[in-house]
mmCIF file of all heavy atoms in Angstrom:
data_model
loop_
_atom_site.group_PDB
_atom_site.id
_atom_site.type_symbol
_atom_site.label_atom_id
_atom_site.label_comp_id
_atom_site.label_asym_id
_atom_site.label_seq_id
_atom_site.Cartn_x
_atom_site.Cartn_y
_atom_site.Cartn_z
ATOM 1 N N ARG A 9 111.610 304.598 43.758
ATOM 2 C CA ARG A 9 111.850 304.839 42.328
ATOM 3 C C ARG A 9 110.594 304.587 41.492
ATOM 4 O O ARG A 9 110.560 304.916 40.311
ATOM 5 C CB ARG A 9 112.982 303.932 41.814
ATOM 6 C CG ARG A 9 114.299 304.091 42.561
ATOM 7 C CD ARG A 9 114.784 305.516 42.531
ATOM 8 N NE ARG A 9 115.972 305.702 43.359
ATOM 9 C CZ ARG A 9 116.313 306.852 43.926
ATOM 10 N NH1 ARG A 9 115.518 307.904 43.762
ATOM 11 N NH2 ARG A 9 117.404 306.954 44.652
ATOM 12 N N GLN A 10 109.578 303.992 42.094
ATOM 13 C CA GLN A 10 108.376 303.652 41.333
ATOM 14 C C GLN A 10 107.557 304.879 40.917
ATOM 15 O O GLN A 10 107.126 304.961 39.775
ATOM 16 C CB GLN A 10 107.499 302.691 42.147
ATOM 17 C CG GLN A 10 108.093 301.310 42.324
ATOM 18 C CD GLN A 10 108.114 300.541 41.012
ATOM 19 O OE1 GLN A 10 109.141 300.417 40.349
ATOM 20 N NE2 GLN A 10 106.959 300.021 40.631
ATOM 21 N N PRO A 11 107.293 305.841 41.799
ATOM 22 C CA PRO A 11 106.473 306.983 41.378
ATOM 23 C C PRO A 11 107.192 307.848 40.349
ATOM 24 O O PRO A 11 108.415 308.034 40.406
ATOM 25 C CB PRO A 11 106.254 307.762 42.684
ATOM 26 C CG PRO A 11 106.495 306.770 43.777
ATOM 27 C CD PRO A 11 107.570 305.869 43.251
ATOM 28 N N ASP A 12 106.417 308.389 39.433
ATOM 29 C CA ASP A 12 106.952 309.375 38.496
ATOM 30 C C ASP A 12 107.099 310.731 39.162
ATOM 31 O O ASP A 12 107.983 311.513 38.803
ATOM 32 C CB ASP A 12 106.021 309.492 37.287
ATOM 33 C CG ASP A 12 105.910 308.190 36.526
ATOM 34 O OD1 ASP A 12 106.892 307.789 35.885
ATOM 35 O OD2 ASP A 12 104.838 307.554 36.606
ATOM 36 N N HIS A 13 106.216 311.008 40.128
ATOM 37 C CA HIS A 13 106.231 312.306 40.801
ATOM 38 C C HIS A 13 105.871 312.108 42.272
ATOM 39 O O HIS A 13 105.063 311.234 42.609
ATOM 40 C CB HIS A 13 105.230 313.282 40.171
ATOM 41 C CG HIS A 13 105.454 313.532 38.717
ATOM 42 N ND1 HIS A 13 106.335 314.478 38.244
ATOM 43 C CD2 HIS A 13 104.914 312.939 37.615
ATOM 44 C CE1 HIS A 13 106.324 314.474 36.925
ATOM 45 N NE2 HIS A 13 105.474 313.549 36.515
ATOM 46 N N PHE A 14 106.463 312.933 43.135
ATOM 47 C CA PHE A 14 106.120 312.963 44.553
ATOM 48 C C PHE A 14 105.422 314.280 44.881
ATOM 49 O O PHE A 14 105.794 315.347 44.376
ATOM 50 C CB PHE A 14 107.375 312.860 45.425
ATOM 51 C CG PHE A 14 107.807 311.463 45.737
ATOM 52 C CD1 PHE A 14 108.735 310.821 44.927
ATOM 53 C CD2 PHE A 14 107.296 310.780 46.833
ATOM 54 C CE1 PHE A 14 109.155 309.530 45.212
ATOM 55 C CE2 PHE A 14 107.694 309.493 47.119
ATOM 56 C CZ PHE A 14 108.635 308.861 46.310
ATOM 57 N N ILE A 15 104.424 314.179 45.747
ATOM 58 C CA ILE A 15 103.832 315.340 46.404
ATOM 59 C C ILE A 15 104.062 315.156 47.900
ATOM 60 O O ILE A 15 103.853 314.058 48.431
ATOM 61 C CB ILE A 15 102.322 315.448 46.121
ATOM 62 C CG1 ILE A 15 102.061 315.652 44.630
ATOM 63 C CG2 ILE A 15 101.697 316.598 46.918
ATOM 64 C CD1 ILE A 15 100.588 315.585 44.253
ATOM 65 N N ALA A 16 104.486 316.197 48.589
ATOM 66 C CA ALA A 16 104.681 316.152 50.040
ATOM 67 C C ALA A 16 103.626 316.999 50.721
ATOM 68 O O ALA A 16 103.147 317.996 50.158
ATOM 69 C CB ALA A 16 106.074 316.655 50.417
ATOM 70 N N ASN A 17 103.270 316.627 51.947
ATOM 71 C CA ASN A 17 102.238 317.374 52.668
ATOM 72 C C ASN A 17 102.771 318.614 53.371
ATOM 73 O O ASN A 17 101.990 319.406 53.898
ATOM 74 C CB ASN A 17 101.506 316.469 53.663
ATOM 75 C CG ASN A 17 102.404 315.915 54.742
ATOM 76 O OD1 ASN A 17 103.605 316.202 54.783
ATOM 77 N ND2 ASN A 17 101.841 315.096 55.615
ATOM 78 N N SER A 18 104.094 318.801 53.378
ATOM 79 C CA SER A 18 104.686 319.979 53.999
ATOM 80 C C SER A 18 106.114 320.145 53.495
ATOM 81 O O SER A 18 106.698 319.213 52.924
ATOM 82 C CB SER A 18 104.700 319.848 55.536
ATOM 83 O OG SER A 18 105.593 318.814 55.935
ATOM 84 N N ARG A 19 106.682 321.314 53.727
ATOM 85 C CA ARG A 19 108.079 321.532 53.340
ATOM 86 C C ARG A 19 109.010 320.640 54.153
ATOM 87 O O ARG A 19 110.039 320.187 53.649
ATOM 88 C CB ARG A 19 108.441 323.007 53.522
ATOM 89 C CG ARG A 19 107.714 323.940 52.562
ATOM 90 C CD ARG A 19 108.296 325.344 52.578
ATOM 91 N NE ARG A 19 108.143 325.998 53.865
ATOM 92 C CZ ARG A 19 107.094 326.718 54.227
ATOM 93 N NH1 ARG A 19 106.063 326.852 53.390
ATOM 94 N NH2 ARG A 19 107.042 327.310 55.405
ATOM 95 N N ALA A 20 108.644 320.396 55.405
ATOM 96 C CA ALA A 20 109.470 319.525 56.248
ATOM 97 C C ALA A 20 109.534 318.122 55.661
ATOM 98 O O ALA A 20 110.597 317.487 55.632
ATOM 99 C CB ALA A 20 108.900 319.486 57.671
ATOM 100 N N VAL A 21 108.408 317.605 55.172
ATOM 101 C CA VAL A 21 108.390 316.266 54.577
ATOM 102 C C VAL A 21 109.082 316.269 53.225
ATOM 103 O O VAL A 21 109.778 315.306 52.871
ATOM 104 C CB VAL A 21 106.944 315.745 54.480
ATOM 105 C CG1 VAL A 21 106.864 314.501 53.601
ATOM 106 C CG2 VAL A 21 106.426 315.429 55.874
ATOM 107 N N ALA A 22 108.934 317.343 52.449
ATOM 108 C CA ALA A 22 109.644 317.429 51.173
ATOM 109 C C ALA A 22 111.152 317.341 51.386
ATOM 110 O O ALA A 22 111.859 316.658 50.622
ATOM 111 C CB ALA A 22 109.278 318.727 50.460
ATOM 112 N N ALA A 23 111.662 318.007 52.426
ATOM 113 C CA ALA A 23 113.092 317.928 52.732
ATOM 114 C C ALA A 23 113.476 316.514 53.146
ATOM 115 O O ALA A 23 114.554 316.013 52.789
ATOM 116 C CB ALA A 23 113.450 318.922 53.838
ATOM 117 N N ARG A 24 112.594 315.838 53.878
ATOM 118 C CA ARG A 24 112.856 314.459 54.302
ATOM 119 C C ARG A 24 112.884 313.509 53.102
ATOM 120 O O ARG A 24 113.707 312.600 53.026
ATOM 121 C CB ARG A 24 111.775 314.042 55.299
ATOM 122 C CG ARG A 24 112.226 313.016 56.323
ATOM 123 C CD ARG A 24 111.131 312.780 57.337
ATOM 124 N NE ARG A 24 110.806 313.979 58.075
ATOM 125 C CZ ARG A 24 109.664 314.177 58.728
ATOM 126 N NH1 ARG A 24 108.729 313.248 58.702
ATOM 127 N NH2 ARG A 24 109.447 315.281 59.392
ATOM 128 N N ILE A 25 111.973 313.723 52.143
ATOM 129 C CA ILE A 25 111.953 312.925 50.917
ATOM 130 C C ILE A 25 113.250 313.118 50.141
ATOM 131 O O ILE A 25 113.838 312.165 49.607
ATOM 132 C CB ILE A 25 110.734 313.304 50.059
ATOM 133 C CG1 ILE A 25 109.441 312.837 50.737
ATOM 134 C CG2 ILE A 25 110.841 312.719 48.650
ATOM 135 C CD1 ILE A 25 108.184 313.390 50.106
ATOM 136 N N SER A 26 113.719 314.343 50.087
ATOM 137 C CA SER A 26 114.965 314.634 49.385
ATOM 138 C C SER A 26 116.148 313.925 50.046
ATOM 139 O O SER A 26 116.993 313.336 49.360
ATOM 140 C CB SER A 26 115.194 316.151 49.349
ATOM 141 O OG SER A 26 116.413 316.457 48.711
ATOM 142 N N ARG A 27 116.191 313.964 51.387
ATOM 143 C CA ARG A 27 117.305 313.314 52.096
ATOM 144 C C ARG A 27 117.252 311.796 51.957
ATOM 145 O O ARG A 27 118.280 311.148 51.749
ATOM 146 C CB ARG A 27 117.279 313.696 53.581
ATOM 147 C CG ARG A 27 117.646 315.140 53.866
ATOM 148 C CD ARG A 27 117.913 315.356 55.349
ATOM 149 N NE ARG A 27 116.782 315.016 56.179
ATOM 150 C CZ ARG A 27 115.816 315.869 56.529
ATOM 151 N NH1 ARG A 27 115.870 317.129 56.095
ATOM 152 N NH2 ARG A 27 114.807 315.499 57.299
ATOM 153 N N ALA A 28 116.062 311.219 52.098
ATOM 154 C CA ALA A 28 115.938 309.762 52.110
ATOM 155 C C ALA A 28 116.033 309.162 50.712
ATOM 156 O O ALA A 28 116.701 308.146 50.501
ATOM 157 C CB ALA A 28 114.619 309.357 52.762
ATOM 158 N N TYR A 29 115.343 309.782 49.745
ATOM 159 C CA TYR A 29 115.176 309.178 48.433
ATOM 160 C C TYR A 29 115.907 309.905 47.312
ATOM 161 O O TYR A 29 115.980 309.387 46.194
ATOM 162 C CB TYR A 29 113.686 309.120 48.054
ATOM 163 C CG TYR A 29 112.811 308.397 49.046
ATOM 164 C CD1 TYR A 29 111.519 308.862 49.343
ATOM 165 C CD2 TYR A 29 113.242 307.224 49.685
ATOM 166 C CE1 TYR A 29 110.701 308.183 50.221
ATOM 167 C CE2 TYR A 29 112.419 306.554 50.578
ATOM 168 C CZ TYR A 29 111.150 307.042 50.843
ATOM 169 O OH TYR A 29 110.336 306.379 51.729
ATOM 170 N N GLY A 30 116.378 311.124 47.595
ATOM 171 C CA GLY A 30 116.980 311.904 46.529
ATOM 172 C C GLY A 30 115.979 312.335 45.478
ATOM 173 O O GLY A 30 116.326 312.536 44.318
ATOM 174 N N ARG A 31 114.713 312.525 45.866
ATOM 175 C CA ARG A 31 113.653 312.895 44.931
ATOM 176 C C ARG A 31 113.101 314.263 45.300
ATOM 177 O O ARG A 31 112.978 314.609 46.482
ATOM 178 C CB ARG A 31 112.512 311.872 44.971
ATOM 179 C CG ARG A 31 112.886 310.439 44.610
ATOM 180 C CD ARG A 31 113.186 310.290 43.125
ATOM 181 N NE ARG A 31 112.095 310.739 42.268
ATOM 182 C CZ ARG A 31 111.077 309.966 41.874
ATOM 183 N NH1 ARG A 31 111.008 308.695 42.284
ATOM 184 N NH2 ARG A 31 110.148 310.435 41.080
ATOM 185 N N HIS A 32 112.719 315.011 44.279
ATOM 186 C CA HIS A 32 112.029 316.288 44.500
ATOM 187 C C HIS A 32 110.558 316.023 44.762
ATOM 188 O O HIS A 32 109.964 315.110 44.171
ATOM 189 C CB HIS A 32 112.177 317.188 43.281
ATOM 190 C CG HIS A 32 111.263 318.381 43.311
ATOM 191 N ND1 HIS A 32 111.491 319.482 44.133
ATOM 192 C CD2 HIS A 32 110.090 318.631 42.639
ATOM 193 C CE1 HIS A 32 110.522 320.355 43.948
ATOM 194 N NE2 HIS A 32 109.667 319.877 43.056
ATOM 195 N N ALA A 33 109.946 316.811 45.629
ATOM 196 C CA ALA A 33 108.515 316.683 45.918
ATOM 197 C C ALA A 33 107.849 318.054 45.854
ATOM 198 O O ALA A 33 108.335 319.021 46.444
ATOM 199 C CB ALA A 33 108.289 316.054 47.285
ATOM 200 N N GLU A 34 106.749 318.122 45.128
ATOM 201 C CA GLU A 34 105.874 319.305 45.147
ATOM 202 C C GLU A 34 105.172 319.348 46.503
ATOM 203 O O GLU A 34 104.757 318.311 47.031
ATOM 204 C CB GLU A 34 104.838 319.183 44.035
ATOM 205 C CG GLU A 34 103.942 320.380 43.860
ATOM 206 C CD GLU A 34 104.541 321.422 42.936
ATOM 207 O OE1 GLU A 34 105.661 321.205 42.436
ATOM 208 O OE2 GLU A 34 103.876 322.446 42.714
ATOM 209 N N VAL A 35 105.026 320.530 47.083
ATOM 210 C CA VAL A 35 104.338 320.657 48.370
ATOM 211 C C VAL A 35 102.896 321.084 48.138
ATOM 212 O O VAL A 35 102.639 322.145 47.562
ATOM 213 C CB VAL A 35 105.054 321.655 49.293
ATOM 214 C CG1 VAL A 35 104.256 321.849 50.595
ATOM 215 C CG2 VAL A 35 106.462 321.190 49.613
ATOM 216 N N ILE A 36 101.961 320.234 48.554
ATOM 217 C CA ILE A 36 100.536 320.570 48.547
ATOM 218 C C ILE A 36 99.990 320.195 49.918
ATOM 219 O O ILE A 36 99.935 319.009 50.267
ATOM 220 C CB ILE A 36 99.769 319.818 47.436
ATOM 221 C CG1 ILE A 36 100.336 320.173 46.058
ATOM 222 C CG2 ILE A 36 98.277 320.151 47.500
ATOM 223 C CD1 ILE A 36 99.671 319.436 44.904
ATOM 224 N N HIS A 37 99.623 321.177 50.691
ATOM 225 C CA HIS A 37 99.169 320.923 52.060
ATOM 226 C C HIS A 37 97.858 320.135 52.068
ATOM 227 O O HIS A 37 97.041 320.289 51.163
ATOM 228 C CB HIS A 37 98.986 322.239 52.815
ATOM 229 C CG HIS A 37 100.272 322.971 53.038
ATOM 230 N ND1 HIS A 37 100.473 324.261 52.613
ATOM 231 C CD2 HIS A 37 101.430 322.593 53.639
ATOM 232 C CE1 HIS A 37 101.690 324.657 52.949
ATOM 233 N NE2 HIS A 37 102.292 323.660 53.567
#
């Protein structure tokens, strides 16, 4: 909950962030 924004290194990790934390992540490889 600390970050204002998440960036994920891949779509696979963005989906994992969503499942684990319920947070949206921008994908930037």
Side-chain angles (χ1 to χ4, degrees):
R9 303 303 174 207
Q10 291 291 102
D12 298 290
H13 302 275
F14 272 93
I15 297 172
N17 63 0
S18 67
R19 293 192 296 271
V21 168
R24 209 174 298 160
I25 291 169
S26 178
R27 290 193 301 270
Y29 304 142
R31 300 289 304 272
H32 168 75
E34 185 87 0
V35 176
I36 300 178
H37 294 123

